[in-house]
Amino acid sequence: MVDFASGDIRKVVDGTGSDQFPMWGADGMIYFNSDREDGTLNIYGYDVAGGGTEQLTTSKTWDVRWPGDDGQGRIVYELN
């Protein structure tokens, strides 16, 4: 994440696995999907203000794929 005014750069993701499809949320979060925990893609949220990352979906069998914004503040995705 880059602050163009100051030139500051903040690393948003860490760990192993893939991190994909980042989306800005109106609530100050960056949402993305990743297979960092167990090899299954799930949705995570990164709190821009606090700096913490939280796993939001917990699929263990099927990947959470192609997350996107439905235009009403909700994340939609494909599962199975």
Side-chain angles (χ1 to χ4, degrees):
M1 190 169 63
V2 177
D3 181 330
F4 289 109
S6 68
D8 291 340
I9 298 173
R10 184 187 325 173
K11 187 175 181 177
V12 174
V13 295
D14 55 6
T16 60
S18 65
D19 299 307
Q20 311 167 2
F21 301 103
M23 300 172 282
W24 282 101
D27 56 357
M29 299 282 286
I30 297 174
Y31 297 98
F32 60 97
N33 76 339
S34 178
D35 58 2
R36 61 180 57 203
E37 294 296 324
D38 60 7
T40 303
L41 289 169
N42 276 287
I43 296 178
Y44 291 77
Y46 173 78
D47 183 352
V48 174
T53 301
E54 177 183 3
Q55 184 175 347
L56 302 175
T57 60
T58 57
S59 180
K60 302 237 183 271
T61 305
W62 304 101
D63 286 336
V64 174
R65 296 185 178 268
W66 318 117
D69 182 343
D70 73 348
Q72 298 181 27
R74 297 176 294 193
I75 297 173
V76 294
Y77 53 86
E78 176 185 317
L79 183 65
N80 188 7

